[in-house]
Amino acid sequence: MKKNIRNAIRAIPFWLSSKTFLIMRNVLVIILISAFQLYASESLSQGNKVTLNMEQEALKNVLRAIEEATDYTFLYNSKLVDDTRKVDAVFTTSEIEKVLPALFSGTDVIYQVIDRQIILTSREALSDMQPGQITGTVLDEFGNPLPGVTIHFKGTSAGTVTDVNGLYTIDRPEEARFIVFSSVGYGTQEIEIGDRTVINVQMNEDIHGLEEVVVIGYGSQVKKNLSSSVSSVDPEMIASSPVSSFEGGLQGRAAGVQVTTSSALGGSAVRIRVRGTSSASANSEPLYVIDGVPMESGEISTSQPGASIREWNLQTAANTNVLASLNPSDIESIEILKDASAAAIYGSRGANGVVLITTKKGTKGKTKVNVTTTFGVSEPTRRIPLLNSTQYIGLAQEAWTNMYKQGEQLVDEGEEFLGNWFMDRYDTINNFSKWWSESGVLVDGLTKEKALETDTDWIDAVLRTGTLQEYNVSANGGSEKTSFYISANMKDESTILKGNDYQRFGARINLEHQVTKRIKAGTKMSLTHVNDHQVPTSWAGGIGSVNRMLPIWPLYHEDGSYFNLSDQHPVAGVELRTMHLSSNQILGNWFASLNILEGLTFRTEFGTSMIFMDDFHFRDGRITSHGRSVSSTVLGNRASYNWKNILNYKKNIRQHSFDLLAASDIQSFRNRINTVFGDTYFNSALRKPTDAAVVNAAYFETGYAFASYIGRLNYNYGGKYLLSASIRADGSSRFAPINRWGYFPAISVGYILSEESFFASNNNAINFLKLRASYGIVGNAEIGDYAYVSNYSTLSYGSNTGITLSNLGDDQLSWESTSQLDIGVNWENLDGRISGEFDYYYKLTTDLLLPYPVSGMTGVSTVTRNIGEISNRGVELMLNSINIQTRDFSWESNFTIAHNENRVESLAEDVGEGFSQSQGLGGFALYLGKPVGVIEAVEWGGVDPATGQDTYIDTDGNVLLYSEILEQYGSIDSFRDEHKKPMGNPWPKFSGGLDNRFSWKNWYGNIMLTYATGMTFFLGEQKNMLAAFGNTKTNPTEFLFDRWQEPGDQATVSKLTVDNISWVTTSEHLHRTDYVRIKDITIGRRISFPGTDKIAGMNVYLKATNVFTWTMAPDFFWDPEYTNVVQRREANNLNAGESYKAAPQARFLMAGLSFDF
Amino acid sequence: MKKYILAIITLAVLTSCSEDFLNKPPTTGLSTDKLTDLPAMEALIYGGYGQLRSFVHQPVLYGTAMARDILIRDRPEYDQFFDHMVTTGMTSWMFGQGYSSLGTLNTVAVSDLESMDGSAEEKNAILGDMHFLRAYIYFNLNNYFALPSTGYSVPLLLEPLGVNDVVECARTADVIARIEEDIELARTYFTDISGESDYYAATALAARIYFFHKKYDLAWERANEVIESGKFELETDPADAFTPGGSSKEVLFTFRYDATDGSGTSPSSRMFEAYRPDQSQGFYSLNPDGEIAALWEADTADVRYKAFFTETTELTYIDGKYTTDQMDFIMIRLAELYLTRAEAAIMNNNNVSQADVDDMNAIIGRGNPDNVLEVIPTVQDALELLYEERLKELSYETDDHYLNLHRLEKPIIGSPTEGGELKPYSDYSDLLVFPFPETEIEFHNLDRNP
């Protein structure tokens, strides 16, 4: 436990400790002053006391004076209320309830006070109403008229919508007792009518109402009537977060959706797993569908220009995430289809869940303009505590001394040759003079004297205080026939990594037009330009190399040149490289719908997603292995189009409600990449590949097509019994013709007990209760485009073309199929004060697509095969409670927790209990009964207190000293070969979040925690640090303080030596990375401006993210959250639990200001 | 209403997915069914050569490390070779690359060349290259994977291996026979026509093969044939044989590397990087040490030392053979054949002739005229001199020293942890055999001790 506490991130937020404090303090002060000034002025006019001295003044002037003196706003139609009438208004600290009768006594004006709004109308207008009519005004949360609100009487089909002024009039059926107001984005209000003829309503934002309409793929459905598992996430919470991409904001907000961000790099990738990982080798990211267009998620630039042409690590830093191009502020709704019943509508692409994103559309009525600006600063969530100069010298010399002592011991044992050799080499008697002269720490002309006066903080050299600014302007509105939403946005981020600057410019236009009474057409289009200056991380250098430079080494020579210059020099690695990606993206969807008959509609949609990217890399010859400058350009375009035709029929027959859907969907995708690589420049001004002495060009092209037919029935009886059945037939070019088509059926049923009459007696305790069950089959075709074809790729040999086998195809290759059972319950207690959702699921993926190892003598090391089964089983709980709700104060909590167990259920018979395979520099292992992503490793037995040696445990449970292993097996490698076993689990056992939202009058706040427990990670960097003083020089972190020093020591690190790095992975390198993180703290205030129609409202907030983290991860982890998805997305399940290097994450402090006009 | 229905039907028809829409085969590369003509066979040959680019330098570097002729600076993975504790991690690469190329060559071997359009010369050129390369690969694999104590070696594949095919280790004698048969077939096919390789390159390789197979009579014949052909000449300055982009008449065969062809890592780049003076640069960072260092220290006047080695205050490094990473990798040159002919003759005859001395002097005298042999030495002295001369002439260029240690069953200097004393051949012969890759052992149940 002590270790855990020690490992907790105790960093004081940088804005309290660094010079950034000055910047942030000023920002904070300005915002608070402005907020409190407003608050102060409000406070002076708080309450409903009115003091006026106006005689024979026009009523409108009096009303304006009251608005100016108080918070009240008057809403009326001047055609109905004569505001030119002269009145006497002489009041002294009078209650508003006394002022209003005085102003309107003797007139036919009647009034109603709703919160701070006072609605005026006339008896004459009411008298004009037909008998049985009800009228009124609907306002939004700012008190502005809300057009387009649907109004109907409960239990009848009569309904209407509010006009542009928020006004409505509706005939009341005789039997109607309740009137219902509903609008997208607002909570539904059900009001008992009584004998009222005027009913005015103020709508409040709501995201989890049962009447909320949720998008379910190829249509939408009222949430209450869903019989499948769909999570909705409030996009507003994501829009204001400094996430690199919107999907990063899903963390902790939806049960069963596990989110891992990769690093602080601008636009970096995010790994998402919905209900565990269903595959081993196929891509397991959910399918993202933006406005109906299936997206190619992943990196914009998938090329590795340096991979085949010498400088292989030209580009192993972040590849900019495609989804980061979507402006979070444009998102109207996010739905995650989790169970098979929901996801089966996407058939072969639904096995990993589906994330549906719908962007905003216009609403009829007055044009609303929103301007939002955000400014933030950032720092790393954690700094690995590398040793300072004194600490390093101390430990390095201790290692040297230990070797000398070993020599003494050998001599004592009679091994004089070796003992004397040790004693001679590691002589420590004369002030470590041999350490200084022979250990290799004095390089590049460094003297002992200079080294002793040097103490370089290499982390400081490559990190900085990051800044972030975002600007967003949007306008939406519309007439009776046409509505629009347009927006423009700009994001400019200089991340905590020096040199890493990410800019995004975007524009969007969403239009809908009612062409005729039956035909509607529209479009949603966005253009995005991304400008991303990347920096190397991980293997490639930069921050990844900070521990390859010693604290006794200076950054620069006295003449300003880099000290000990190589690609491992963190600063030179950044400064002498250019990694610039620019991309232009077009995302568009065009639709036309035809209302053929009542209830019968036909909709056709054409969507396209295009990415044009230009990736330029330059690496100065001073940091290349051959000493020449190299560069590359990668020009690519990815174009996808899809065309959907949907026939939908909705019919209510008495208590039976039918929603039938038949659809077809085709998609075609093509990716083309041109790469030019240049090597050797005779002039430093030349940097482009074509100016190089050696120019290589390459071309890459791939593509796929999907064709699908879809059928679905949603049925409910009496709003109580729910049924949904769907089937999708998918054809994919990724499989051989004989296995090209797959069929994916699903069914779900629901039972809303609370609608039963017998439930009424319990109505006070539980006012809504729904039981659900679903079963379905979904697929995964994410295996690359041509795995079924044997193919030869070309190479050049001299001036000749050669061919070599690149893929051994298998025409029997078919889909991975995932069947999923889901049993769930939704409920609401105490009139919605507490609501929840609980699901149990069991997923079984069969015909697992695996890189099955074959004999390397075939010419390939693996082939893709349908082998094995993986299961995921788990439970999810989401609880929402409105803890306090008074007139002025509310506190709402949202808690999610998910438990998932991933397990390999079966493998091919000939691989026994499991198998492993080397892949490039890494490898993977799959074992029966173990989760995907285990690593084969040797079990470490800790440090022997007597000798300080590492001990290891063989598969029979025997504990052996390292020296005994050398004696018996020759090397630790040989021991490993015989005694390795699968270890680790990269997937959290429990994960989720706790979100608390507060509001007090116009103030609001938010505190969100996220957590994940039970997962492990192998960090290869520890191997370097454990052998810091051998040939390869490394600066370790403070975890080495806990090393063995003398017999009897109970230590976690063995005796320091000058041994070289052992690359054998053992459980010593395996660590729990559980964490609890304060993900988000927000405080803000919404401010209204009564008395002016120039501005509708203002929102000002302060937000801090990744504020504080408690973790079990050791100090050499930059952050407990890490995924190597950036580098090996295609294999990120099999390698999910290990990485050689990691990268820091960022903590943000932000201020935002938003205006509504 | 009718028109609406018609419109819907039309759209439904339009979206009906024919198989054509889903038929998207690869648009780059070549599928297996297209390998039916001579150009495809020729492309496979060049593919086989290309695949060997990441194979041919490995015996040089591993062998040099195992012979303890290097100081390892910054690449601890070479420690396992130096310490004779070889694990599968590094050697799997060599095994895999060798068999990848063999798979490509065997595709040619089993193809129906007879029925393909083309002349007999064109077909002979293809078959000549196929047998030449196959002999070269098996020769190298056998040198490192054959277990002397049991007489078993690598699996012998003469046709492409299917994913479900299981093979077993071949007897070393069978592998040797196959190597020798292949190299002789290469010579036969190259009699009237050259491919990428040619008759003399095959004959020179045959000389090397027979020499290390201790068939000294054949080694002498093949070496003699090359030397006596008059088509090749020793350079006056040995450095001229290593001129980047040059066409030295001393060089019989090179694996080509052309920086402009984008072919990736070149074997010469590995050699270049291995011996760079800057410790932080290059991938391997090795320096001359061991026996070779001792020899050079004793004869720094030798032009080869001056031409190929640079001495600094901290290190001696070899930067003269591969002065750039963009040059062909020399597989065999005439100097080796002179030394082979001399030693083969001595071994055959158990006597040293003037002709043998002349062959030795051709190389020794080029290095340092002061060292030429004025008198005919004894057999023992001549063999010892040849051992040292091969070491000096061919080090950091081939794995000759390591193979010579094996051939002559000489002891190796022990490491400090071994006590620093000489380690007899009997102690290390099986130790220095490379392990098979784990996956191959598991898949085929490979066992060299059946």
Side-chain angles (χ1 to χ4, degrees), chain B residues 147-193:
Chain B
L147 191 62
S149 59
T150 66
Y152 277 87
S153 183
V154 292
L156 192 57
L157 305 185
L158 303 177
E159 57 186 42
L161 193 69
V163 290
N164 295 316
D165 295 341
V166 175
V167 297
E168 57 187 22
C169 292
R171 295 190 65 83
T172 305
D174 295 337
V175 177
I176 287 174
R178 183 71 248 174
I179 294 166
E180 294 172 359
E181 187 177 340
D182 268 333
I183 199 63
E184 290 303 326
L185 281 168
R187 279 163 35 84
T188 303
Y189 284 116
F190 281 144
T191 303
D192 298 317
I193 186 79

Side-chain angles (χ1 to χ4, degrees), chain A residues 88 157 227 370 452 457 596 736 1034:
Chain A
D88 290 330
S157 59
S227 51
N370 174 271
L452 284 171
D457 186 331
I596 303 168
T1034 306

